[in-house]
Structure formats: structure tokens, C-alpha cells
């Protein structure tokens, strides 16, 4: 049976740790993406081939993980680091994909709705309630897209393992770089990393 918005939200809040706008937006975003792909039970066999490109690294990302059961460890969540409120849901078995993004003008609409519908309520609570009931077309832009999935990005056993000739560490799934005849990991090839040794 298809789960209701409220039960999915309760589950997301438990997973994330608090109720926030991100949980409401994320649950609604996941529900929209799943509906467009015809997936009613993502955690069953039906959702096995679902991969999500996550452009969000804030609260809403947790809600999408909670609703769909997809995780980075299963290679079914791809973190895109775009700082955008959007996610693309890809059914890798059929190739059908849909991208759901939050409309830039939705914040203003939510604020106005909150004031109009729940004038007696605390401002923060009124905004959460408005986010839950604002029409989907006022909240999201939903578009069919095509995603070219590379074999090395799919779930399953690693395609190959290389060893970086500079740092000696393993590199999986064809992420190695060939530079002047040497096989290197990406940071060694770029000559920089996000950390420095101390
Ligand atoms: Zn949050
Ligand atoms: Zn290296």
C-alpha cells in the first residue's frame, strides 16, 4: 500500500532528528519523483533500480533517503554538491528519469500562504503548514530528463580496482586518471586534496 504524506513525514523526522521545512519539502519531492516513475513502494523490489542524483546536501536530502530507502552506500544516491534544491530520480531499468526542483518563487508564496491561512499561528509553524499544503505546481518544477548512466556508476560489484602510482592507494570503479603514462588517483593527478598532512 502507498504510504501517506503524514506517515512518510513521521518516518523522515525520526530519521533526520527534527521536524523542519527540509523534511516537508524532501518528502514531497520524493513522493513526486516516485509517482512520476510509477513507483509506489520504493523499499520493495519495485524500487531496486532507482538511483537518485541528489543536488541537495541539507535537511531535505535526509527526507529523500528516508522515503526512498536509497543510500550512498548502495550507490543509489549520487551526491552532486550543487547547493541546489533539486533531485533527479532515475529508473535504471527503464531509463525513465524525472528531475524535481524547488521553484525559486516558492519561498515567497509559502510566506504569503502562511500569513493568509494561518494568521493566528506562530510564524515558523505557519510556514511549515503552508509548505505541506501549497500546490505541487507552485512548489516544484517537474521535468522529464535523460540521464546517461555510466556502467561504473551503477550499483553492484566494483568494475575494477587500480592502484595509484603516487600514493599507493586503491581506486575503484574507473575513477583513476592516466597522466603522462602514470595511473593516478584524482587528487594525485590534480596535485591537490581537501586535506593536508599534519
Ligand atoms: Zn532539518
Ligand atoms: Zn594517489
Amino acid at each position: 500500500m502507498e504510504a501517506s504524506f503524514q506517515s512518510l513525514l513521521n518516518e523522515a523526522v525520526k530519521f533526520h532528528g527534527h521536524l523542519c521545512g527540509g523534511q516537508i519539502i524532501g518528502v514531497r519531492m520524493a513522493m513526486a519523483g516516485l509517482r512520476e516513475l510509477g513507483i509506489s513502494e520504493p523499499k520493495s523490489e519495485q524500487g531496486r533500480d532507482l538511483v537518485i542524483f541528489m543536488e541537495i546536501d541539507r535537511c531535505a536530502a535526509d527526507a529523500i533517503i528516508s522515503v526512498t530507502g536509497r543510500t550512498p552506500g548502495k550507490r543509489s544516491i549520487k551526491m552532486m554538491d550543487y547547493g541546489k534544491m533539486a533531485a533527479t530520480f532515475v529508473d535504471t531499468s527503464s531509463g525513465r528519469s524525472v528531475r524535481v526542483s524547488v521553484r525559486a518563487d516558492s519561498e515567497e508564496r509559502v510566506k504569503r500562504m502562511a500569513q493568509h491561512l494561518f494568521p493566528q499561528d506562530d510564524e515558523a509553524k505557519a510556514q511549515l503548514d503552508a509548505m505541506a499544503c501549497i500546490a505541487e505546481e507552485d512548489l516544484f518544477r517537474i521535468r522529464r530528463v535523460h540521464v546517461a548512466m555510466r556502467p561504473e556508476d551503477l550499483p553492484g560489484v566494483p568494475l575494477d580496482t587500480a592502484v595509484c602510482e603516487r600514493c599507493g592507494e586503491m581506486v575503484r570503479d574507473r575513477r583513476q586518471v592516466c597522466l603522462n603514462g602514470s595511473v593516478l588517483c584524482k587528487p594525485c593527478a590534480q596535485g591537490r586534496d581537501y586535506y593536508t598532512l599534519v
Side-chain angles (χ1 to χ4, degrees):
M1 202 192 79
E2 212 163 332
S4 70
F5 169 73
Q6 193 56 53
S7 68
L8 291 173
L9 181 63
N10 293 345
E11 225 176 283
V13 167
K14 216 170 175 190
F15 176 67
H16 180 60
H18 60 242
L19 171 64
C20 59
Q23 298 317 292
I24 294 172
I25 301 288
V27 167
R28 293 193 63 177
M29 195 179 264
M31 288 179 79
L34 293 171
R35 183 194 66 229
E36 293 296 315
L37 295 179
I39 298 171
S40 54
E41 293 178 63
K43 291 176 185 171
S44 75
E45 193 60 17
Q46 211 191 24
R48 197 195 53 193
D49 300 316
L50 176 66
V51 170
I52 301 167
F53 287 78
M54 188 82 80
E55 301 181 27
I56 313 161
D57 70 348
R58 288 180 171 274
C59 297
D62 277 356
I64 292 173
I65 289 171
S66 168
V67 171
T68 61
R70 309 288 86 193
T71 67
K74 289 197 279 267
R75 307 195 89 211
S76 47
I77 295 279
K78 311 291 187 191
M79 297 302 295
M80 300 308 287
D81 198 26
Y82 286 175
K84 296 178 83 171
M85 281 295 277
T88 296
F89 301 78
V90 182
D91 180 348
T92 58
S93 62
S94 68
R96 294 207 307 158
S97 310
V98 63
R99 182 171 181 274
V100 185
S101 59
V102 174
R103 302 182 72 105
D105 57 6
S106 66
E107 255 176 65
E108 201 44 52
R109 282 177 201 266
V110 164
K111 252 183 225 163
R112 265 187 280 128
M113 261 185 86
Q115 287 162 359
H116 180 68
L117 291 178
F118 314 105
Q120 314 301 331
D121 286 357
D122 163 75
E123 195 185 312
K125 184 182 179 303
Q127 286 214 19
L128 292 183
D129 289 339
M131 273 179 208
C133 66
I134 185 174
E136 190 175 85
E137 59 268 30
D138 289 335
L139 183 59
F140 297 140
R141 181 160 70 163
I142 301 177
R143 292 191 294 185
R144 293 268 164 199
V145 294
H146 173 70
V147 178
M149 291 294 298
R150 303 180 302 176
E152 59 266 38
D153 291 338
L154 290 169
V157 289
L159 285 188
D160 68 10
T161 304
V163 174
C164 173
E165 290 176 30
R166 195 158 296 160
C167 67
E169 294 184 350
M170 286 185 294
V171 183
R172 287 204 155 139
D173 296 301
R174 298 180 183 164
R175 266 51 175 183
Q176 68 271 28
V177 179
C178 200
L179 189 69
N180 305 325
S182 298
V183 173
L184 302 172
C185 69
K186 276 185 193 170
C188 284
Q190 289 164 359
R192 64 186 162 81
D193 215 323
Y194 66 92
Y195 65 86
T196 51
L197 287 173
V198 293

